[in-house]
Amino acid sequence: MYSAVFLFFLLSIIFHLEATGQLLNQAQIQAMNSQAWLATDSVDTSYCGYNVFYMQVIRADKDDPTNNVIQTAAFYPRVDEYSELTIPNSNSLMMAWTDASHSIRIQIVTIVNNQLYRSNSIAFTGIDQTTVCVPARTLIMNLNSGRLFINGGIQWAQTDCALAACSCVESICAADCAINRANITVRVAWTGTDGNGAPLTSMGSDIWHFENAV
């Protein structure tokens, strides 16, 4: 059974769009307009108004959230393409920013039809004898006739590692950062319907969707 799961995942990953982003400097963050954000991928602004996804990388202080440090990267995924958003060479950042009092959390922000939408923040690192990193998480975009639902329009895919023999970080398996060399990676999958009422299907390519169905 497991071989079938991994075969499905390997086949689906061939067809998804890979996008890389770079952390922005403070002047670009403060400017907060589309011309100030950078992307290392080609820009396509013709898809249903989804101009940009901002990935907020948060060094979360467990004792005092006012001490949180936030850096931001920009991406341009297409609607209904199973995309992988990666910050290259971020493994060292994940290790440097994580200790007994701090972890890295990720939040995704997007602006659609002049309205701001944001996901909940979720952990990507933790401490389990060593610093452990989550290889990737999936963000689900839930549309109704091409518009994001006000509630539940952006949410993280449900995961579960309660029965797994692994380092569990907010319900997902993580591994030693120094060994797996994971970079900060968010996969984006789409569900619901587009502006023409056609069903969005890329959620079917996500590994968590497949595992939860069997």
Side-chain angles (χ1 to χ4, degrees):
M1 180 182 71
Y2 287 104
S3 60
V5 170
F6 285 111
L7 177 60
F8 175 88
F9 178 61
L10 289 173
L11 288 174
S12 66
I13 206 170
I14 293 172
F15 297 102
H16 74 203
L17 172 71
E18 292 187 4
T20 56
Q22 62 187 38
L23 294 175
L24 309 178
N25 63 42
Q26 191 62 34
Q28 291 163 340
I29 293 172
Q30 290 175 346
M32 288 300 290
N33 64 69
S34 59
Q35 293 182 347
W37 302 90
L38 298 179
T40 58
D41 217 39
S42 58
V43 177
D44 184 343
T45 59
S46 63
Y47 45 91
C48 302
Y50 290 85
N51 295 321
V52 63
F53 278 26
Y54 302 123
M55 183 191 294
Q56 294 187 316
V57 182
I58 306 165
R59 189 192 192 206
D61 188 314
K62 299 175 183 178
D63 300 318
D64 186 358
T66 62
N67 291 329
N68 287 358
V69 176
I70 301 176
Q71 293 195 36
T72 305
F75 300 87
Y76 296 83
R78 293 173 180 266
V79 167
D80 210 24
E81 287 191 0
Y82 185 52
S83 306
E84 188 170 272
L85 316 181
T86 301
I87 299 178
N89 305 314
S90 53
N91 179 265
S92 58
L93 178 72
M94 296 172 85
M95 291 191 289
W97 274 18
T98 303
D99 56 35
S101 299
H102 300 86
S103 65
I104 284 185
R105 303 184 68 84
I106 300 296
Q107 182 173 55
I108 302 295
V109 180
T110 188
I111 300 172
V112 181
N113 297 322
N114 295 319
Q115 183 161 345
L116 183 73
Y117 297 85
R118 66 178 72 237
S119 71
N120 295 328
S121 71
I122 196 164
F124 268 65
T125 63
I127 296 292
D128 184 5
Q129 298 183 340
T130 62
T131 300
V132 294
C133 296
V134 173
R137 290 186 185 269
T138 299
L139 188 76
I140 302 171
M141 306 296 293
N142 191 4
L143 275 61
N144 180 26
S145 297
R147 294 180 177 271
L148 277 170
F149 282 95
I150 299 298
N151 296 314
I154 303 180
Q155 57 186 340
W156 296 102
Q158 292 186 352
T159 57
D160 187 359
C161 57
L163 300 179
C166 67
S167 300
C168 198
V169 174
E170 286 194 29
S171 301
I172 196 170
C173 284
D176 190 324
C177 291
I179 296 175
N180 71 7
R181 305 301 297 174
N183 290 315
I184 297 171
T185 300
V186 173
R187 299 181 180 121
V188 180
W190 303 79
T191 187
T193 55
D194 66 13
N196 296 317
L200 303 173
T201 61
S202 64
M203 182 60 191
S205 297
D206 184 59
I207 184 64
W208 291 111
H209 174 81
F210 183 74
E211 287 188 350
N212 289 337
V214 296

